[in-house]
PDB file of all heavy atoms in Angstrom:
ATOM      1  N   ARG V 197      31.630 -97.955  30.749  1.00 98.00           N
ATOM      2  CA  ARG V 197      31.664 -98.808  31.943  1.00 98.00           C
ATOM      3  C   ARG V 197      30.265 -98.998  32.522  1.00 98.00           C
ATOM      4  O   ARG V 197      29.943-100.061  33.051  1.00 98.00           O
ATOM      5  CB  ARG V 197      32.617 -98.211  32.979  1.00 98.00           C
ATOM      6  CG  ARG V 197      34.080 -98.342  32.556  1.00 98.00           C
ATOM      7  CD  ARG V 197      35.023 -97.540  33.451  1.00 98.00           C
ATOM      8  NE  ARG V 197      34.930 -97.955  34.834  1.00 98.00           N
ATOM      9  CZ  ARG V 197      35.507 -99.049  35.336  1.00 98.00           C
ATOM     10  NH1 ARG V 197      36.215 -99.834  34.550  1.00 98.00           N
ATOM     11  NH2 ARG V 197      35.387 -99.358  36.613  1.00 98.00           N
ATOM     12  N   ALA V 198      29.416 -97.978  32.403  1.00 98.00           N
ATOM     13  CA  ALA V 198      28.038 -98.114  32.876  1.00 98.00           C
ATOM     14  C   ALA V 198      27.272 -99.128  32.039  1.00 98.00           C
ATOM     15  O   ALA V 198      26.449 -99.891  32.553  1.00 98.00           O
ATOM     16  CB  ALA V 198      27.339 -96.752  32.847  1.00 98.00           C
ATOM     17  N   GLU V 199      27.547 -99.155  30.732  1.00 98.00           N
ATOM     18  CA  GLU V 199      26.849-100.067  29.819  1.00 98.00           C
ATOM     19  C   GLU V 199      27.408-101.487  29.874  1.00 98.00           C
ATOM     20  O   GLU V 199      26.650-102.463  29.840  1.00 98.00           O
ATOM     21  CB  GLU V 199      26.944 -99.546  28.381  1.00 98.00           C
ATOM     22  CG  GLU V 199      26.113 -98.322  28.094  1.00 98.00           C
ATOM     23  CD  GLU V 199      24.637 -98.640  27.918  1.00 98.00           C
ATOM     24  OE1 GLU V 199      24.265 -99.821  27.861  1.00 98.00           O
ATOM     25  OE2 GLU V 199      23.848 -97.680  27.839  1.00 98.00           O
ATOM     26  N   LEU V 200      28.735-101.610  29.947  1.00 98.00           N
ATOM     27  CA  LEU V 200      29.369-102.919  29.791  1.00 98.00           C
ATOM     28  C   LEU V 200      29.875-103.544  31.077  1.00 98.00           C
ATOM     29  O   LEU V 200      30.164-104.747  31.107  1.00 98.00           O
ATOM     30  CB  LEU V 200      30.546-102.821  28.798  1.00 98.00           C
ATOM     31  CG  LEU V 200      30.230-102.339  27.385  1.00 98.00           C
ATOM     32  CD1 LEU V 200      31.484-102.435  26.528  1.00 98.00           C
ATOM     33  CD2 LEU V 200      29.092-103.158  26.762  1.00 98.00           C
ATOM     34  N   GLY V 201      30.026-102.748  32.125  1.00 98.00           N
ATOM     35  CA  GLY V 201      30.537-103.299  33.375  1.00 98.00           C
ATOM     36  C   GLY V 201      31.908-103.915  33.187  1.00 98.00           C
ATOM     37  O   GLY V 201      32.829-103.287  32.657  1.00 98.00           O
ATOM     38  N   ALA V 202      32.065-105.169  33.590  1.00 97.00           N
ATOM     39  CA  ALA V 202      33.354-105.862  33.522  1.00 97.00           C
ATOM     40  C   ALA V 202      33.825-106.097  32.094  1.00 97.00           C
ATOM     41  O   ALA V 202      34.993-106.447  31.867  1.00 97.00           O
ATOM     42  CB  ALA V 202      33.265-107.188  34.262  1.00 97.00           C
ATOM     43  N   HIS V 203      32.947-105.917  31.122  1.00 98.00           N
ATOM     44  CA  HIS V 203      33.331-106.115  29.722  1.00 98.00           C
ATOM     45  C   HIS V 203      33.968-104.865  29.107  1.00 98.00           C
ATOM     46  O   HIS V 203      34.436-104.913  27.967  1.00 98.00           O
ATOM     47  CB  HIS V 203      32.114-106.513  28.883  1.00 98.00           C
ATOM     48  CG  HIS V 203      31.507-107.817  29.272  1.00 98.00           C
ATOM     49  ND1 HIS V 203      32.137-109.026  29.038  1.00 98.00           N
ATOM     50  CD2 HIS V 203      30.341-108.113  29.902  1.00 98.00           C
ATOM     51  CE1 HIS V 203      31.378-110.016  29.503  1.00 98.00           C
ATOM     52  NE2 HIS V 203      30.287-109.482  30.031  1.00 98.00           N
ATOM     53  N   ALA V 204      33.996-103.749  29.848  1.00 98.00           N
ATOM     54  CA  ALA V 204      34.632-102.532  29.347  1.00 98.00           C
ATOM     55  C   ALA V 204      36.134-102.751  29.309  1.00 98.00           C
ATOM     56  O   ALA V 204      36.734-103.220  30.271  1.00 98.00           O
ATOM     57  CB  ALA V 204      34.280-101.347  30.239  1.00 98.00           C
ATOM     58  N   GLY V 205      36.759-102.400  28.169  1.00 98.00           N
ATOM     59  CA  GLY V 205      38.160-102.732  27.962  1.00 98.00           C
ATOM     60  C   GLY V 205      39.107-101.552  28.054  1.00 98.00           C
ATOM     61  O   GLY V 205      38.869-100.565  28.764  1.00 98.00           O
ATOM     62  N   ALA V 206      40.184-101.649  27.279  1.00 98.00           N
ATOM     63  CA  ALA V 206      41.331-100.763  27.404  1.00 98.00           C
ATOM     64  C   ALA V 206      41.116 -99.387  26.794  1.00 98.00           C
ATOM     65  O   ALA V 206      40.238 -99.178  25.954  1.00 98.00           O
ATOM     66  CB  ALA V 206      42.548-101.416  26.751  1.00 98.00           C
ATOM     67  N   ALA V 207      41.989 -98.477  27.211  1.00 98.00           N
ATOM     68  CA  ALA V 207      42.106 -97.156  26.588  1.00 98.00           C
ATOM     69  C   ALA V 207      43.307 -97.187  25.650  1.00 98.00           C
ATOM     70  O   ALA V 207      44.421 -97.517  26.066  1.00 98.00           O
ATOM     71  CB  ALA V 207      42.292 -96.075  27.640  1.00 98.00           C
ATOM     72  N   HIS V 208      43.070 -96.880  24.385  1.00 97.00           N
ATOM     73  CA  HIS V 208      44.136 -96.844  23.372  1.00 97.00           C
ATOM     74  C   HIS V 208      44.208 -95.408  22.872  1.00 97.00           C
ATOM     75  O   HIS V 208      43.400 -94.984  22.045  1.00 97.00           O
ATOM     76  CB  HIS V 208      43.796 -97.812  22.228  1.00 97.00           C
ATOM     77  CG  HIS V 208      44.832 -97.859  21.147  1.00 97.00           C
ATOM     78  ND1 HIS V 208      45.600 -98.969  20.922  1.00 97.00           N
ATOM     79  CD2 HIS V 208      45.216 -96.944  20.222  1.00 97.00           C
ATOM     80  CE1 HIS V 208      46.425 -98.742  19.895  1.00 97.00           C
ATOM     81  NE2 HIS V 208      46.188 -97.508  19.453  1.00 97.00           N
ATOM     82  N   MET V 209      45.173 -94.659  23.405  1.00 95.00           N
ATOM     83  CA  MET V 209      45.263 -93.231  23.121  1.00 95.00           C
ATOM     84  C   MET V 209      46.450 -92.908  22.231  1.00 95.00           C
ATOM     85  O   MET V 209      47.485 -93.573  22.292  1.00 95.00           O
ATOM     86  CB  MET V 209      45.370 -92.441  24.431  1.00 95.00           C
ATOM     87  CG  MET V 209      44.168 -92.612  25.334  1.00 95.00           C
ATOM     88  SD  MET V 209      42.665 -91.973  24.563  1.00 95.00           S
ATOM     89  CE  MET V 209      41.406 -92.630  25.669  1.00 95.00           C
ATOM     90  N   HIS V 210      46.283 -91.866  21.415  1.00 93.00           N
ATOM     91  CA  HIS V 210      47.375 -91.369  20.595  1.00 93.00           C
ATOM     92  C   HIS V 210      47.781 -89.986  21.074  1.00 93.00           C
ATOM     93  O   HIS V 210      46.979 -89.260  21.672  1.00 93.00           O
ATOM     94  CB  HIS V 210      46.963 -91.310  19.124  1.00 93.00           C
ATOM     95  CG  HIS V 210      46.989 -92.645  18.448  1.00 93.00           C
ATOM     96  ND1 HIS V 210      47.243 -92.805  17.106  1.00 93.00           N
ATOM     97  CD2 HIS V 210      46.818 -93.898  18.948  1.00 93.00           C
ATOM     98  CE1 HIS V 210      47.216 -94.097  16.799  1.00 93.00           C
ATOM     99  NE2 HIS V 210      46.943 -94.774  17.889  1.00 93.00           N
ATOM    100  N   ASN V 211      49.026 -89.644  20.813  1.00 91.00           N
ATOM    101  CA  ASN V 211      49.562 -88.369  21.275  1.00 91.00           C
ATOM    102  C   ASN V 211      49.687 -87.369  20.130  1.00 91.00           C
ATOM    103  O   ASN V 211      50.491 -86.437  20.200  1.00 91.00           O
ATOM    104  CB  ASN V 211      50.931 -88.597  21.932  1.00 91.00           C
ATOM    105  CG  ASN V 211      51.337 -87.427  22.801  1.00 91.00           C
ATOM    106  OD1 ASN V 211      50.525 -86.892  23.556  1.00 91.00           O
ATOM    107  ND2 ASN V 211      52.598 -87.017  22.704  1.00 91.00           N
ATOM    108  N   THR V 212      48.885 -87.540  19.106  1.00 88.00           N
ATOM    109  CA  THR V 212      48.984 -86.729  17.888  1.00 88.00           C
ATOM    110  C   THR V 212      48.949 -85.232  18.195  1.00 88.00           C
ATOM    111  O   THR V 212      49.674 -84.447  17.576  1.00 88.00           O
ATOM    112  CB  THR V 212      47.825 -87.075  16.932  1.00 88.00           C
ATOM    113  OG1 THR V 212      47.723 -88.497  16.838  1.00 88.00           O
ATOM    114  CG2 THR V 212      48.050 -86.488  15.561  1.00 88.00           C
TER     115      THR V 212
END
Side-chain angles (χ1 to χ4, degrees):
R197 289 170 59 78
E199 288 283 352
L200 301 185
H203 296 290
H208 181 112
M209 298 297 168
H210 282 210
N211 198 43
T212 313

